[in-house]
Amino acid sequence: MNAQVTPLLEISRLNGGYGAVPVLFGVDLVIHPGEIVALVGNNGAGKTTLLRAISRVITASGGMKFDGEDLLPLTPEQVFARRLVQVPEGRQLFGRMTVEENLLMGANRRGNRAAIARSFDWVYGLLPKLAERRRQLAGNMSGGEQQMCAIARALMAEPRLLMIDEMSLGLAPIIVDQLLAILDTIRKQSVAIFLVEQDVFAAFSVADRGYVMETGRIVQTGTAQELSNDESVRAAYLGAEAGA
Amino acid sequence: MLLAQIIVNGVLLGGLYGLMALGMALVWGVLNIVNLAHGAFVMLGGYIVYYLFTTLGIDPLAALPIAMALMFAFGYLLQYVVLNQIIRSAMLNTLLITFGLDVVLTYLAQLGFSADFRTIAPSYAGANFGLLGITVPVAPLAAFAIAWLLAGLTWLLLNRLPLGRAIRATAQNLVAARLYGVNPRRLYAVTFGIGAALAGASGGLYGMISHLSPYVGAPLTAKAFVIAVIGGLHNPFAVVASGLIIGIAESLAALYVGPTYANVISFGLLVLILVLRPSRALRAA
């Protein structure tokens, strides 16, 4: 939104991968407070790997700061405690626990019961379907409901930056639209959102800015508007004819 | 009347068996470690209570919490320092290392405590009372009650406390648990410590009902394994209840077939399960 503000997440020349296999090559990326930033790219481009590096699940080197603090020496649970929260690919719910217990896991590191109760009110207000299903086992719900539950679990951590990996995967377009509308509401609570998507249409419909990733490198960046109008992006990701 | 008596004996003994299996099932379900040294932990707990009673004069029932605390610390350290190194590797490795641990603990116990049989014998050890013509022995009754009490506490921990929620979450989805603030190394150590503490409690009770020697561990491990497979890994009450099945079956076998055949029952069940439902034994779901 505003380039003058101190970045919330600042990644510079980041390399990373799995053991000896490098996947990310010199990634530069910035997210400001209150922004929705989309990262798009094909399957295997390294998007999920970047999220894993940010959450400190895999090894990485380079520059990575969250609110001015170096993320590299932190463990995953310390990153979570900084309220940098990831909704992982495939939802990864606790399937044999109820919806409510899943949400309580989101509030895992918080002690203030009154504040947790307020978060519950907020999240259930945002996603009333979850309130109906709070006593159900998360694993028994539909894909859309599970994705809602996964987002709600992350919201229970009061994230400052919410990272969502492949939110639209396997969901009906109407459900995706509902979820996108909810993201727009969430951002009004000054939560920055990092949306990692293969569905470029969906991503750019709510994002302020975007990055395009190919084989572990950022190949293009700009406002969502610019990127959706860019010919090479349209050709590669939006299914438009080149030159059309 | 004899049959009723045998069943009462079996039920009381079975509660204790269930308690032995409880710690093993917990560790198995959460860490995916089949702890072959679990019986040795039971043995160690028994000796702790034995020595607290014989040297310091602490009543065995009062010594149980102390034994549990010591065994928790032992289990926590063991997991944190040693077993966490191999927790991600193939199950065969965890079997090998816990088997080795069993051997080491058994022979250290022989060195430290001698191979003599010991019995924890407080004044009430042999006491009993009559009920409807059946003789109810006090010590096994206490063991039975404590087994259910600890199963209830374990259930409360797992289902009502944040720590237990984190334990279940980690068992169900390690990836998500790590992303949501759980430190798996510490959580595994706590869980293994709880398993060892439960083993320690059952050891103290076992020493009051039966005999302790450094070698009691291995058959108890097998028994606990069978009970965990039957009872599943997720419900403490189901584990203790399946302990009752083994207890009753053993008592009946001892009466109708012969006392030396008691062990045949649990091992026979083990073989039967491995032949008929190997997937269940491996998943123990």
Side-chain angles (χ1 to χ4, degrees), chain B residues 13 72-73 118 122 138 149 160 173 176 181 188 208 229 240 253 267:
Chain B
L13 189 62
F72 175 86
R118 313 276 190 192
V138 169
L149 175 73
R160 291 288 177 269
N173 193 326
Y188 286 156
M208 284 162 65
V229 170
V240 177
F267 291 114

Side-chain angles (χ1 to χ4, degrees), chain B residues 45-249:
Chain B
Y47 276 107
I48 292 173
V49 173
Y50 174 80
Y51 282 108
L52 285 173
F53 176 60
T54 53
T55 63
L56 299 178
I58 300 172
D59 183 88
L61 292 180
L64 282 184
I66 305 174
M68 288 181 75
L70 289 172
M71 289 305 293
F72 175 86
F74 174 69
Y76 184 99
L77 286 175
L78 191 65
Q79 176 67 35
Y80 202 87
V81 177
V82 181
L83 296 177
N84 268 335
Q85 313 300 327
I86 50 109
I87 189 138
R88 299 266 184 280
S89 65
M91 195 171 211
L92 179 65
N93 291 345
T94 63
L95 288 174
L96 274 175
I97 200 165
T98 56
F99 176 72
L101 193 62
D102 178 73
V103 173
V104 168
L105 291 177
T106 300
Y107 288 96
L108 280 179
Q110 182 188 318
L111 211 62
F113 311 137
S114 91
D116 295 346
F117 281 108
R118 313 276 190 192
T119 300
I120 303 168
S123 55
Y124 50 83
N128 53 60
F129 58 90
L131 188 73
L132 304 169
I134 295 167
T135 307
V136 181
V138 169
L141 182 66
F144 179 81
I146 290 168
W148 283 101
L149 175 73
L150 289 176
L153 290 176
T154 306
W155 187 89
L156 278 177
L157 167 76
L158 288 176
N159 292 287
R160 291 288 177 269
L161 294 183
L163 172 65
R165 195 187 305 125
I167 289 175
R168 282 185 299 135
T170 308
Q172 291 176 30
N173 193 326
L174 176 62
V175 174
R178 284 183 80 190
L179 290 175
Y180 284 82
V182 174
N183 176 342
R185 287 176 66 94
R186 200 174 322 138
L187 185 113
Y188 286 156
V190 169
T191 308
F192 200 81
I194 294 169
L198 290 169
S202 65
L205 296 167
Y206 184 76
M208 284 162 65
I209 293 172
S210 184
H211 320 284
L212 289 174
S213 88
Y215 320 109
V216 295
L220 296 180
T221 299
K223 214 168 282 196
F225 177 84
V226 176
I227 294 166
V229 170
I230 296 172
L233 305 179
H234 303 300
N235 184 350
F237 295 121
V239 175
V240 177
S242 46
L244 302 189
I245 297 174
I246 295 289
I248 294 169

Side-chain angles (χ1 to χ4, degrees), chain B residues 263-274:
Chain B
N263 274 332
V264 172
I265 291 298
S266 51
F267 291 114
L269 268 172
L270 175 60
V271 171
L272 214 62
I273 289 165
L274 289 175

